[in-house]
Amino acid sequence: MATASVAFKSREDHRKQLELEEARKAGLAPAELDEDGKEINPHIPQYMSSAPWYLNAERPSLKHQRKWKSDPNYTKAWYDRGAKIFQADKYRKGACENCGAMTHNAKTCMERPRQKGAKWTSMHIAPDEKIETFELDYDGKRDRWNGYDAATYARVIERYEARDEARRKYLKEQQLKKLEEKNNKQNGEEEVSDEEEDDEDDLKVDEAKVDESKQMDFAKVEKRVRTTEESAIREDTAKYLLNLDVNSAHYDPKTRSMREDPLPDADPNEKFYGGDNQYRVSGQALEFKQLNIHAWEAFDKGQDIHMQAAPSQAELLFKNYKVIKEKLKSRMKDTIMDKYGNAAAEEELPRELLLGQSERQVEYDRAGRIIKGQDWKLACVEHGSCAMTSLLWKHV
């Protein structure tokens, strides 16, 4: 509670003061009023409500807690650049010795040093500058763009527009010169070389660019033309709208991912999206997966390799690993072929051997008579269907 004075109080007065404060906190007694007639909250701590001794407060008040200093008259104005107020006819005492203005001295003069200053010639006296003083607030002192006139940027735009116009004019003149030279050559020659055709194509492209630059208008919105280079543009259907069935592929809106194929029964040649898993097991994603696996296995075997810490080193080691692996495969293949031979590389067997081979078993006795099986010679002779009987018996 705010107190008017800190004079000495007796024990009885102090006890009554404490009882009154408790009654005010409980709402049994009216709140104390300050010098302006406003109620003082009884729950305010004493260290906040007690006024300092040097203020000599006669009545209870919280004015010392309020903002009692008035703000100065801050302004948003800025200096009037280049403004002049008065121009004298002759030199005045205390003016600049160089130009004759009263608002600065010779040391801070911004004019070119004269051979003979205005102090001695009293001619061409410079006008006095308009000196202004502003009291800016905290933000005004630190505002980098304070006093900037946005209308001055129009000069920058005009300068760039003039440059672009001169460039377009120059390009147009160059294209016209090329066209004239081309027409003169075509009149004198019957055939056009390949180089001239390339120049003509370049000329057409340049003319189209010049025309497009003339028709350039940022306010006009043209319809976007779809190209084959753009894989996913706004014209394509969103992946979560391809199949509206509730039991179809799950779409995660937070990560914008759909791992499964939303249209598994559709023609693969007609659909442009087959799920995120399709990209994870194909192309560079598969190579990156193999690279990670190789880094893990090499680290487990004791090599100092880490995919995230040194990706270039891991990729280089993986390439060397693949080269060494191919060399070992080829070396092992050559070793096996040297030991067992290569049936695919050998010469083809004679035709008579291929036709004479059979899985039928024929047994003969010591005299050469057939014990089991059929005599192929007799069978072929009897039926007259064997034209290579002698060749067959040579290999039997």
Side-chain angles (χ1 to χ4, degrees):
M1 183 188 70
T3 56
S5 63
V6 290
F8 176 77
K9 294 180 181 180
S10 63
R11 181 176 296 179
E12 187 67 20
D13 294 340
H14 186 66
R15 185 181 61 80
K16 290 181 180 180
Q17 184 69 25
L18 291 178
E19 290 179 356
L20 181 59
E21 291 179 359
E22 293 296 332
R24 285 173 176 171
K25 290 181 180 179
L28 302 176
E32 191 176 9
L33 300 178
D34 60 0
E35 58 184 7
D36 296 332
K38 297 180 181 180
E39 294 183 354
I40 299 177
N41 191 344
H43 298 283
I44 295 178
Q46 186 179 4
Y47 72 91
M48 294 178 61
S49 61
S50 298
W53 60 269
Y54 51 82
L55 292 180
N56 298 323
E58 297 179 357
R59 294 188 59 184
S61 175
L62 293 176
K63 187 177 290 186
H64 62 279
Q65 292 289 348
R66 300 188 182 97
K67 186 177 181 182
W68 54 275
K69 284 187 178 181
S70 61
D71 292 336
N73 188 16
Y74 292 132
T75 179
K76 297 294 183 182
W78 198 246
Y79 303 100
D80 191 4
R81 299 179 185 273
K84 309 297 181 182
I85 54 175
F86 177 75
Q87 185 172 7
D89 296 335
K90 61 181 181 178
Y91 181 78
R92 294 160 293 176
K93 185 178 180 180
C96 177
E97 298 178 357
N98 183 42
C99 66
M102 288 291 294
T103 52
H104 61 269
N105 53 18
K107 187 176 182 180
T108 59
C109 184
M110 300 299 294
E111 283 196 9
R112 178 180 60 85
R114 302 180 185 182
Q115 187 174 5
K116 289 184 179 181
K119 180 179 179 180
W120 295 276
T121 60
S122 294
M123 296 174 61
H124 305 291
I125 305 298
D128 299 340
E129 293 91 352
K130 183 179 179 182
I131 298 179
E132 299 175 282
T133 55
F134 298 115
E135 191 166 358
L136 302 174
D137 55 356
Y138 182 86
D139 295 331
K141 292 178 181 178
R142 291 158 180 80
D143 187 6
R144 294 171 52 200
W145 296 95
N146 194 0
Y148 175 73
D149 186 9
T152 58
Y153 192 72
R155 285 180 275 175
V156 179
I157 297 176
E158 291 175 0
R159 185 170 69 250
Y160 277 93
E161 288 180 352
R163 186 198 65 178
D164 295 339
E165 184 65 27
R167 181 180 296 174
R168 287 194 294 267
K169 186 177 180 180
Y170 174 76
L171 290 175
K172 189 64 178 178
E173 291 177 355
Q174 294 295 325
Q175 303 313 319
L176 291 175
K177 288 182 180 179
K178 288 184 179 179
L179 283 174
E180 291 178 359
E181 294 176 0
K182 192 69 178 176
N183 293 332
N184 294 334
K185 289 183 179 179
Q186 288 181 354
N187 293 333
E189 299 177 0
E190 296 179 356
E191 297 180 356
V192 181
S193 62
D194 297 338
E195 297 178 356
E196 292 177 350
E197 292 178 358
D198 296 339
D199 295 339
E200 186 176 356
D201 295 337
D202 297 340
L203 187 59
K204 292 179 180 179
V205 172
D206 295 337
E207 286 181 354
K209 290 181 179 179
V210 173
D211 295 336
E212 288 177 0
S213 62
K214 287 183 178 181
Q215 299 174 359
M216 187 183 303
D217 188 7
F218 295 101
K220 182 174 63 177
V221 179
E222 297 181 358
K223 185 178 179 181
R224 186 175 182 181
V225 181
R226 182 173 179 177
T227 59
T228 55
E229 297 177 358
E230 298 172 344
S231 59
I233 59 177
R234 300 301 181 189
E235 297 177 3
D236 294 333
T237 307
K239 62 178 75 173
Y240 53 83
L241 297 178
L242 295 175
N243 191 352
L244 300 179
D245 188 5
V246 181
N247 298 324
S248 62
H250 174 68
Y251 175 75
D252 186 9
K254 184 176 182 180
T255 58
R256 299 180 182 179
S257 61
M258 181 181 288
R259 299 186 178 183
E260 299 179 1
D261 189 359
L263 299 172
D265 300 331
D267 187 5
N269 298 324
E270 295 181 358
K271 60 182 179 181
F272 66 94
Y273 180 74
D276 296 341
N277 289 335
Q278 179 183 1
Y279 304 107
R280 294 183 179 181
V281 294
S282 62
Q284 295 182 353
L286 185 59
E287 297 178 1
F288 185 72
K289 184 178 179 180
Q290 294 176 354
L291 177 59
N292 278 316
I293 294 174
H294 172 263
W296 297 337
E297 293 178 351
F299 182 77
D300 292 339
K301 293 179 181 178
Q303 292 191 10
D304 188 9
I305 179 174
H306 198 280
M307 183 60 196
Q308 282 71 32
S312 301
Q313 178 190 10
E315 187 174 0
L316 182 60
L317 291 175
F318 183 57
K319 287 182 179 179
N320 295 337
Y321 166 76
K322 290 194 292 186
V323 172
I324 295 173
K325 185 177 180 181
E326 291 296 330
K327 289 182 179 180
L328 288 176
K329 278 187 177 180
S330 60
R331 188 182 303 172
M332 185 180 297
K333 183 178 178 180
D334 295 340
T335 304
I336 294 174
M337 290 175 62
D338 293 341
K339 185 174 183 179
Y340 299 102
N342 187 5
E346 292 181 356
E347 297 180 358
E348 296 183 359
L349 293 174
R351 187 176 181 84
E352 54 272 14
L353 290 180
L354 295 175
L355 296 176
Q357 292 179 355
S358 173
E359 295 181 359
R360 186 184 298 274
Q361 184 179 1
V362 180
E363 294 185 6
Y364 299 89
D365 57 0
R366 292 183 178 180
R369 293 185 294 268
I370 296 176
I371 300 175
K372 289 183 179 180
Q374 184 180 2
D375 190 356
W376 279 94
K377 181 178 179 181
L378 297 178
C380 291
V381 171
E382 289 177 359
H383 293 86
S385 60
C386 183
M388 302 177 67
T389 306
S390 57
L391 293 175
L392 288 172
W393 279 101
K394 285 182 182 179
H395 298 284
V396 171

